[in-house]
Amino acid sequence: MERIEVINRLTVIFRKIFMDDSLVLTDDLTANDVDRWDSLSHMILIAEIEKDLSIKFKLKDLNKMRNVGAMIDIILSKF
């Protein structure tokens, strides 16, 4: 899977979870930058990503997700 495909699929998921069709993903985007991104919505986001991409994150993966760029890198490492 290519990085651009991951970004496109994540964009759809993020926009659905956070109910914001104008949300644009950047590598440095964090929870502080997105309204409604709290601990509960984060767990829903992770579950949706795992389901959509047919992957499973390990706890160490989740701990490394400091921003969307790190999330994308971790996702790409699963393919």
Side-chain angles (χ1 to χ4, degrees):
M1 183 173 292
E2 298 290 326
R3 187 175 186 84
I4 190 68
E5 183 181 352
V6 172
I7 293 168
N8 290 339
R9 289 175 76 171
L10 287 181
T11 298
V12 171
I13 295 168
F14 270 71
R15 288 177 176 178
K16 180 175 98 175
I17 298 296
F18 300 116
M19 296 177 280
D20 182 355
D21 289 337
S22 66
L23 189 60
V24 176
L25 300 187
T26 62
D27 282 349
D28 59 344
L29 187 75
T30 68
N32 293 332
D33 303 318
V34 179
D35 289 340
R36 296 185 221 141
W37 191 345
D38 57 21
S39 57
L40 178 58
S41 60
H42 184 75
M43 295 312 299
I44 295 168
L45 177 67
I46 294 300
E48 282 292 316
I49 293 169
E50 288 179 330
K51 182 175 131 189
D52 184 73
L53 299 176
S54 299
I55 60 174
K56 275 294 196 188
F57 293 115
K58 296 180 180 178
L59 182 57
K60 69 178 184 175
D61 296 329
L62 298 175
N63 289 332
K64 292 179 184 176
M65 289 184 190
R66 301 287 179 221
N67 56 37
V68 171
M71 178 185 284
I72 293 167
D73 291 340
I74 291 165
I75 291 168
L76 288 170
S77 75
K78 304 271 181 204
F79 292 98

